[in-house]
Tab-separated table of all heavy atoms in Angstrom:
chain	number	residue	atom	x	y	z
M	121	GLU	N	-50.849	-2.305	57.490
M	121	GLU	CA	-50.435	-0.929	57.733
M	121	GLU	C	-48.980	-0.642	57.360
M	121	GLU	O	-48.087	-1.462	57.577
M	121	GLU	CB	-50.622	-0.557	59.211
M	121	GLU	CG	-52.030	-0.710	59.743
M	121	GLU	CD	-53.074	0.092	58.995
M	121	GLU	OE1	-52.721	1.104	58.353
M	121	GLU	OE2	-54.249	-0.297	59.050
M	122	HIS	N	-48.751	0.546	56.839
M	122	HIS	CA	-47.434	1.168	56.793
M	122	HIS	C	-47.042	1.470	58.233
M	122	HIS	O	-47.886	1.714	59.087
M	122	HIS	CB	-47.538	2.461	55.966
M	122	HIS	CG	-46.243	3.161	55.711
M	122	HIS	ND1	-45.587	3.884	56.680
M	122	HIS	CD2	-45.491	3.282	54.579
M	122	HIS	CE1	-44.492	4.418	56.169
M	122	HIS	NE2	-44.404	4.060	54.900
M	123	HIS	N	-45.749	1.443	58.532
M	123	HIS	CA	-45.300	1.696	59.902
M	123	HIS	C	-45.848	3.013	60.462
M	123	HIS	O	-46.087	3.129	61.675
M	123	HIS	CB	-43.775	1.725	59.961
M	123	HIS	CG	-43.140	0.403	59.663
M	123	HIS	ND1	-41.820	0.266	59.277
M	123	HIS	CD2	-43.649	-0.864	59.676
M	123	HIS	CE1	-41.534	-1.007	59.080
M	123	HIS	NE2	-42.626	-1.707	59.301
M	124	ALA	N	-46.048	3.996	59.604
M	124	ALA	CA	-46.541	5.287	60.068
M	124	ALA	C	-47.928	5.193	60.678
M	124	ALA	O	-48.303	6.024	61.513
M	124	ALA	CB	-46.552	6.297	58.915
M	125	ASN	N	-48.702	4.188	60.262
M	125	ASN	CA	-50.047	4.022	60.795
M	125	ASN	C	-50.141	2.829	61.739
M	125	ASN	O	-51.234	2.383	62.074
M	125	ASN	CB	-51.064	3.847	59.656
M	125	ASN	CG	-52.477	4.222	60.081
M	125	ASN	OD1	-52.680	5.124	60.896
M	125	ASN	ND2	-53.460	3.521	59.551
M	126	LEU	N	-48.995	2.352	62.190
M	126	LEU	CA	-48.952	1.266	63.169
M	126	LEU	C	-48.149	1.680	64.396
M	126	LEU	O	-48.655	1.648	65.521
M	126	LEU	CB	-48.340	0.003	62.540
M	126	LEU	CG	-48.098	-1.175	63.484
M	126	LEU	CD1	-49.397	-1.635	64.130
M	126	LEU	CD2	-47.412	-2.317	62.755
M	127	VAL	N	-46.894	2.090	64.179
M	127	VAL	CA	-46.034	2.464	65.303
M	127	VAL	C	-46.637	3.620	66.096
M	127	VAL	O	-46.571	3.651	67.324
M	127	VAL	CB	-44.622	2.818	64.795
M	127	VAL	CG1	-43.723	3.237	65.957
M	127	VAL	CG2	-44.010	1.640	64.048
M	128	THR	N	-47.246	4.568	65.384
M	128	THR	CA	-47.879	5.711	66.057
M	128	THR	C	-48.958	5.254	67.039
M	128	THR	O	-49.068	5.772	68.151
M	128	THR	CB	-48.517	6.646	65.016
M	128	THR	OG1	-49.187	5.849	64.025
M	128	THR	CG2	-47.485	7.506	64.336
M	129	TRP	N	-49.750	4.263	66.627
M	129	TRP	CA	-50.831	3.785	67.497
M	129	TRP	C	-50.315	2.857	68.586
M	129	TRP	O	-50.888	2.797	69.683
M	129	TRP	CB	-51.920	3.125	66.649
M	129	TRP	CG	-52.546	4.158	65.763
M	129	TRP	CD1	-52.416	4.279	64.408
M	129	TRP	CD2	-53.343	5.265	66.193
M	129	TRP	NE1	-53.079	5.385	63.971
M	129	TRP	CE2	-53.666	6.015	65.036
M	129	TRP	CE3	-53.810	5.697	67.430
M	129	TRP	CZ2	-54.440	7.174	65.086
M	129	TRP	CZ3	-54.588	6.853	67.488
M	129	TRP	CH2	-54.879	7.571	66.326
M	130	GLN	N	-49.220	2.146	68.314
M	130	GLN	CA	-48.562	1.402	69.390
M	130	GLN	C	-48.154	2.359	70.508
M	130	GLN	O	-48.380	2.087	71.700
M	130	GLN	CB	-47.323	0.676	68.855
M	130	GLN	CG	-47.621	-0.512	67.955
M	130	GLN	CD	-46.354	-1.106	67.369
M	130	GLN	OE1	-45.313	-0.459	67.328
M	130	GLN	NE2	-46.450	-2.345	66.902
M	131	GLN	N	-47.554	3.466	70.118
M	131	GLN	CA	-47.084	4.430	71.111
M	131	GLN	C	-48.245	5.098	71.845
M	131	GLN	O	-48.194	5.325	73.061
M	131	GLN	CB	-46.202	5.487	70.437
M	131	GLN	CG	-44.894	4.944	69.895
M	131	GLN	CD	-44.041	4.305	70.978
M	131	GLN	OE1	-43.734	4.933	71.993
M	131	GLN	NE2	-43.672	3.051	70.772
M	132	ALA	N	-49.305	5.423	71.121
M	132	ALA	CA	-50.472	6.039	71.765
M	132	ALA	C	-51.082	5.094	72.799
M	132	ALA	O	-51.504	5.526	73.878
M	132	ALA	CB	-51.509	6.415	70.708
M	133	CYS	N	-51.116	3.813	72.471
M	133	CYS	CA	-51.671	2.832	73.417
M	133	CYS	C	-50.749	2.618	74.604
M	133	CYS	O	-51.211	2.468	75.743
M	133	CYS	CB	-51.947	1.516	72.696
M	133	CYS	SG	-53.350	1.601	71.550
M	134	LEU	N	-49.437	2.629	74.371
M	134	LEU	CA	-48.501	2.503	75.478
M	134	LEU	C	-48.640	3.677	76.446
M	134	LEU	O	-48.587	3.506	77.664
M	134	LEU	CB	-47.063	2.435	74.948
M	134	LEU	CG	-46.622	1.100	74.346
M	134	LEU	CD1	-45.255	1.244	73.675
M	134	LEU	CD2	-46.561	0.025	75.427
M	135	ARG	N	-48.821	4.872	75.907
M	135	ARG	CA	-48.944	6.065	76.748
M	135	ARG	C	-50.249	6.096	77.526
M	135	ARG	O	-50.307	6.623	78.634
M	135	ARG	CB	-48.833	7.320	75.878
M	135	ARG	CG	-47.434	7.593	75.341
M	135	ARG	CD	-47.455	8.685	74.288
M	135	ARG	NE	-48.056	9.928	74.767
M	135	ARG	CZ	-48.357	10.952	73.982
M	135	ARG	NH1	-48.130	10.860	72.664
M	135	ARG	NH2	-48.891	12.045	74.490
M	136	SER	N	-51.300	5.536	76.944
M	136	SER	CA	-52.635	5.678	77.534
M	136	SER	C	-53.134	4.441	78.273
M	136	SER	O	-54.086	4.524	79.046
M	136	SER	CB	-53.639	6.015	76.428
M	136	SER	OG	-53.732	4.939	75.501
M	137	GLY	N	-52.516	3.299	78.014
M	137	GLY	CA	-53.018	2.060	78.595
M	137	GLY	C	-54.099	1.397	77.766
M	137	GLY	O	-54.663	0.373	78.171
M	138	ALA	N	-54.404	1.958	76.601
M	138	ALA	CA	-55.404	1.363	75.718
M	138	ALA	C	-54.833	0.118	75.039
M	138	ALA	O	-53.624	-0.136	75.064
M	138	ALA	CB	-55.859	2.378	74.669
M	139	GLU	N	-55.715	-0.673	74.437
M	139	GLU	CA	-55.315	-1.908	73.765
M	139	GLU	C	-55.321	-1.697	72.246
M	139	GLU	O	-56.253	-1.103	71.707
M	139	GLU	CB	-56.289	-3.040	74.107
M	139	GLU	CG	-56.424	-3.325	75.590
M	139	GLU	CD	-57.584	-4.263	75.880
M	139	GLU	OE1	-58.221	-4.756	74.902
M	139	GLU	OE2	-57.880	-4.479	77.066
M	140	LEU	N	-54.289	-2.211	71.598
M	140	LEU	CA	-54.209	-2.135	70.144
M	140	LEU	C	-54.629	-3.472	69.555
M	140	LEU	O	-54.055	-4.513	69.871
M	140	LEU	CB	-52.789	-1.792	69.694
M	140	LEU	CG	-52.585	-1.619	68.185
M	140	LEU	CD1	-53.403	-0.436	67.660
M	140	LEU	CD2	-51.107	-1.439	67.848
M	141	HIS	N	-55.645	-3.460	68.708
M	141	HIS	CA	-56.134	-4.664	68.048
M	141	HIS	C	-55.837	-4.587	66.557
M	141	HIS	O	-55.850	-3.497	65.963
M	141	HIS	CB	-57.632	-4.830	68.286
M	141	HIS	CG	-57.962	-5.189	69.709
M	141	HIS	ND1	-58.722	-6.287	70.051
M	141	HIS	CD2	-57.625	-4.600	70.889
M	141	HIS	CE1	-58.851	-6.354	71.363
M	141	HIS	NE2	-58.192	-5.329	71.894
M	142	ILE	N	-55.582	-5.745	65.958
M	142	ILE	CA	-55.163	-5.817	64.561
M	142	ILE	C	-56.177	-6.621	63.761
M	142	ILE	O	-56.389	-7.809	64.026
M	142	ILE	CB	-53.773	-6.479	64.420
M	142	ILE	CG1	-52.770	-5.904	65.426
M	142	ILE	CG2	-53.275	-6.340	62.980
M	142	ILE	CD1	-52.440	-4.443	65.215
M	143	ALA	N	-56.798	-6.001	62.777
M	143	ALA	CA	-57.729	-6.710	61.895
M	143	ALA	C	-56.923	-7.486	60.857
M	143	ALA	O	-56.058	-6.927	60.185
M	143	ALA	CB	-58.665	-5.727	61.208
M	144	PRO	N	-57.183	-8.792	60.710
M	144	PRO	CA	-56.375	-9.619	59.815
M	144	PRO	C	-56.717	-9.409	58.340
M	144	PRO	O	-57.757	-8.850	57.992
M	144	PRO	CB	-56.717	-11.045	60.256
M	144	PRO	CG	-58.118	-10.935	60.771
M	144	PRO	CD	-58.199	-9.586	61.433
M	145	ILE	N	-55.827	-9.899	57.503
M	145	ILE	CA	-56.055	-9.899	56.059
M	145	ILE	C	-56.133	-11.342	55.576
M	145	ILE	O	-55.678	-12.275	56.249
M	145	ILE	CB	-54.955	-9.146	55.286
M	145	ILE	CG1	-53.586	-9.827	55.498
M	145	ILE	CG2	-54.913	-7.686	55.683
M	145	ILE	CD1	-52.485	-9.296	54.591
M	146	HIS	N	-56.702	-11.539	54.405
M	146	HIS	CA	-56.674	-12.838	53.745
M	146	HIS	C	-55.315	-13.012	53.061
M	146	HIS	O	-54.557	-12.055	52.879
M	146	HIS	CB	-57.800	-12.929	52.712
M	146	HIS	CG	-59.174	-12.874	53.299
M	146	HIS	ND1	-59.678	-13.857	54.124
M	146	HIS	CD2	-60.163	-11.937	53.168
M	146	HIS	CE1	-60.917	-13.544	54.482
M	146	HIS	NE2	-61.236	-12.389	53.919
M	147	ASP	N	-55.031	-14.235	52.649
M	147	ASP	CA	-53.746	-14.522	52.010
M	147	ASP	C	-53.547	-13.749	50.712
M	147	ASP	O	-52.413	-13.519	50.287
M	147	ASP	CB	-53.607	-16.022	51.734
M	147	ASP	CG	-53.443	-16.839	53.007
M	147	ASP	OD1	-53.090	-16.250	54.058
M	147	ASP	OD2	-53.666	-18.074	52.959
M	148	ASN	N	-54.649	-13.331	50.079
M	148	ASN	CA	-54.514	-12.579	48.823
M	148	ASN	C	-54.291	-11.084	49.047
M	148	ASN	O	-54.194	-10.325	48.083
M	148	ASN	CB	-55.741	-12.799	47.932
M	148	ASN	CG	-57.001	-12.146	48.487
M	148	ASN	OD1	-57.034	-11.688	49.631
M	148	ASN	ND2	-58.051	-12.114	47.664
M	149	GLY	N	-54.207	-10.660	50.308
M	149	GLY	CA	-53.936	-9.257	50.602
M	149	GLY	C	-55.165	-8.405	50.829
M	149	GLY	O	-55.049	-7.205	51.076
M	150	GLU	N	-56.345	-9.008	50.759
M	150	GLU	CA	-57.569	-8.263	51.053
M	150	GLU	C	-57.856	-8.276	52.553
M	150	GLU	O	-57.562	-9.258	53.252
M	150	GLU	CB	-58.760	-8.876	50.317
M	150	GLU	CG	-58.716	-8.720	48.817
M	150	GLU	CD	-59.913	-9.370	48.137
M	150	GLU	OE1	-60.623	-10.150	48.802
M	150	GLU	OE2	-60.125	-9.102	46.936
M	151	LEU	N	-58.438	-7.215	53.034
M	151	LEU	CA	-58.848	-7.162	54.430
M	151	LEU	C	-59.949	-8.179	54.687
M	151	LEU	O	-60.873	-8.334	53.880
M	151	LEU	CB	-59.352	-5.760	54.778
M	151	LEU	CG	-59.783	-5.530	56.233
M	151	LEU	CD1	-58.591	-5.611	57.173
M	151	LEU	CD2	-60.500	-4.184	56.366
M	152	ASP	N	-59.866	-8.886	55.813
M	152	ASP	CA	-60.925	-9.789	56.244
M	152	ASP	C	-62.010	-8.927	56.889
M	152	ASP	O	-61.937	-8.594	58.071
M	152	ASP	CB	-60.369	-10.813	57.233
M	152	ASP	CG	-61.400	-11.865	57.631
M	152	ASP	OD1	-62.609	-11.585	57.548
M	152	ASP	OD2	-60.998	-12.956	58.069
M	153	VAL	N	-62.982	-8.534	56.103
M	153	VAL	CA	-63.991	-7.583	56.565
M	153	VAL	C	-64.842	-8.181	57.686
M	153	VAL	O	-65.230	-7.468	58.626
M	153	VAL	CB	-64.873	-7.122	55.380
M	153	VAL	CG1	-65.999	-6.206	55.869
M	153	VAL	CG2	-64.028	-6.395	54.337
M	154	GLU	N	-65.124	-9.464	57.618
M	154	GLU	CA	-65.914	-10.085	58.686
M	154	GLU	C	-65.153	-10.059	60.007
M	154	GLU	O	-65.735	-9.786	61.062
M	154	GLU	CB	-66.276	-11.516	58.299
M	154	GLU	CG	-67.261	-11.605	57.136
M	154	GLU	CD	-67.654	-13.038	56.819
M	154	GLU	OE1	-67.116	-13.969	57.473
M	154	GLU	OE2	-68.485	-13.233	55.909
M	155	ALA	N	-63.850	-10.332	59.961
M	155	ALA	CA	-63.042	-10.265	61.180
M	155	ALA	C	-62.946	-8.824	61.685
M	155	ALA	O	-62.979	-8.576	62.905
M	155	ALA	CB	-61.657	-10.837	60.917
M	156	PHE	N	-62.824	-7.891	60.768
M	156	PHE	CA	-62.809	-6.465	61.126
M	156	PHE	C	-64.082	-6.113	61.892
M	156	PHE	O	-64.034	-5.455	62.948
M	156	PHE	CB	-62.688	-5.626	59.852
M	156	PHE	CG	-62.763	-4.139	60.050
M	156	PHE	CD1	-61.630	-3.399	60.330
M	156	PHE	CD2	-63.983	-3.473	59.950
M	156	PHE	CE1	-61.698	-2.018	60.501
M	156	PHE	CE2	-64.077	-2.101	60.114
M	156	PHE	CZ	-62.921	-1.367	60.403
M	157	ALA	N	-65.222	-6.576	61.381
M	157	ALA	CA	-66.499	-6.280	62.029
M	157	ALA	C	-66.578	-6.903	63.422
M	157	ALA	O	-67.103	-6.280	64.362
M	157	ALA	CB	-67.654	-6.780	61.162
M	158	ARG	N	-66.041	-8.111	63.553
M	158	ARG	CA	-66.082	-8.781	64.863
M	158	ARG	C	-65.224	-8.073	65.901
M	158	ARG	O	-65.506	-8.146	67.110
M	158	ARG	CB	-65.638	-10.232	64.719
M	158	ARG	CG	-66.649	-11.133	64.015
M	158	ARG	CD	-66.308	-12.604	64.213
M	158	ARG	NE	-65.004	-12.951	63.656
M	158	ARG	CZ	-64.820	-13.372	62.406
M	158	ARG	NH1	-65.856	-13.484	61.568
M	158	ARG	NH2	-63.604	-13.690	61.984
M	159	LEU	N	-64.194	-7.388	65.467
M	159	LEU	CA	-63.305	-6.697	66.391
M	159	LEU	C	-63.863	-5.361	66.870
M	159	LEU	O	-63.356	-4.782	67.829
M	159	LEU	CB	-61.932	-6.482	65.734
M	159	LEU	CG	-61.068	-7.742	65.612
M	159	LEU	CD1	-59.901	-7.505	64.658
M	159	LEU	CD2	-60.574	-8.182	66.982
M	160	LEU	N	-64.880	-4.875	66.196
M	160	LEU	CA	-65.513	-3.624	66.613
M	160	LEU	C	-66.465	-3.885	67.774
M	160	LEU	O	-67.250	-4.828	67.757
M	160	LEU	CB	-66.285	-3.003	65.449
M	160	LEU	CG	-65.456	-2.471	64.281
M	160	LEU	CD1	-66.363	-2.154	63.098
M	160	LEU	CD2	-64.655	-1.241	64.679
Side-chain angles (χ1 to χ4, degrees):
E121 302 302 336
H122 185 285
H123 294 160
N125 203 33
L126 174 60
V127 179
T128 42
W129 295 109
Q130 289 175 341
Q131 293 301 305
C133 289
L134 283 171
R135 288 169 56 190
S136 64
E139 303 169 5
L140 183 63
H141 290 234
I142 313 295
I145 62 170
H146 296 294
D147 290 342
N148 69 349
E150 292 179 346
L151 182 67
D152 185 335
V153 176
E154 292 183 357
F156 176 88
R158 288 194 299 270
L159 286 166
L160 292 168

